[in-house]
Amino acid sequence: KAGVTQTPRYLIKTRGQQVTLSCSPISGHRSVSWYQQTPGQGLQFLFEYFSETQRNKGNFPGRFSGRQFSNSRSEMNVSTLELGDSALYLCASSLSGAGANVLTFGAGSRLTVL
Amino acid sequence: AQTVTQSQPEMSVQEAETVTLSCTYDTSESDYYLFWYKQPPSRQMILVIRQEAYKQQNATENRFSVNFQKAAKSFSLKISDSQLGDAAMYFCAYRSTNAGKSTFGDGTTLTVKP
């Protein structure tokens, strides 16, 4: 069974640009959630999608957005990049996203904003 | 809102010894799930152990066990017979029964000395 695949793994952008990150969940998993990991802030929840609908959203500005497709693949977009957006962006999938369901994480997309 | 606190940013243990990582959380809910995840250097985050709040019995997975104290809102992880491969950052996480959002602590970096 293939794991959670995130692309690209590494990318460098400059301030003001936008970026799109992709996440392919484990087959059969319908929930995809996104987290931002930084040394200073730890793991911060961005949003969660289930069956193409955003179910939960963290406390991030509107520059951060996402979507989920009918095949459960998800993308997140960050517009007007700022230096503080440099982070490891982790995607995690689970069967239904709730309760006991374990999160299976991807390797992450490391974004550097110059 | 739920919060998760890991008061030990770094811990070290001698190979073959036992170490306990601390985690406390704050919630007004009575039913929820708690997790410990492990993130080895430059590798994907994986589940270590899971505990359902309605179960009084502490979860165990081979060398890993938890001490779950619901009234005290404490959820510590004990690693017995520590191995070099246990070196990683460990995250404690909380999830509500019906929510797709997991709240993570800031992590504890565990070093295993040979």
Side-chain angles (χ1 to χ4, degrees), chain A residues 35-52:
Chain A
Y35 292 82
Q36 181 195 64
Q37 185 177 16
T38 58
Q41 298 294 319
L43 272 152
Q44 301 292 316
F45 173 75
L46 281 155
F47 26 65
E48 186 235 358
Y49 288 87
F50 180 82
S51 293
E52 303 178 65

Side-chain angles (χ1 to χ4, degrees), chain B residues 22-97:
Chain B
S22 300
C23 173
T24 58
Y25 58 95
D26 188 27
T27 183
S28 58
E29 299 174 329
S30 60
D31 197 15
Y32 47 86
Y33 297 85
L34 296 165
F35 305 81
W36 278 98
Y37 286 91
K38 166 186 176 181
Q39 187 179 40
S42 301
R43 294 179 62 186
Q44 287 169 243
M45 183 129 44
I46 58 172
L47 176 74
V48 175
I49 200 165
R50 173 180 63 189
Q51 174 79 42
E52 292 89 342
Y54 63 86
K55 288 187 178 179
Q56 290 188 327
Q57 186 173 7
N58 290 322
T60 62
E61 286 288 341
N62 301 312
R63 298 182 294 106
F64 299 87
S65 62
V66 298
N67 183 4
F68 173 49
Q69 301 290 327
K70 190 172 184 180
K73 296 179 183 174
S74 171
F75 183 60
S76 61
L77 174 69
K78 185 171 83 171
I79 306 173
S80 304
D81 186 25
S82 296
Q83 300 175 359
L84 296 178
D86 294 334
M89 181 167 279
Y90 287 81
F91 291 93
C92 177
Y94 172 103
R95 169 181 279 184
S96 300
T97 302

Side-chain angles (χ1 to χ4, degrees), chain A residues 51-94:
Chain A
S51 293
E52 303 178 65
T53 300
Q54 186 182 87
R55 285 202 304 194
N56 295 276
K57 189 177 191 305
N59 295 324
F60 278 81
R63 300 185 297 107
F64 291 81
S65 63
R67 59 179 175 169
Q68 186 180 35
F69 302 95
S70 58
N71 62 357
S72 293
R73 189 178 71 86
S74 177
E75 289 182 347
M76 67 162 282
N77 184 77
V78 188
S79 62
T80 319
L81 284 166
E82 301 177 359
L83 295 179
D85 297 333
S86 295
L88 179 66
Y89 290 87
L90 294 172
C91 164
S93 75
S94 65

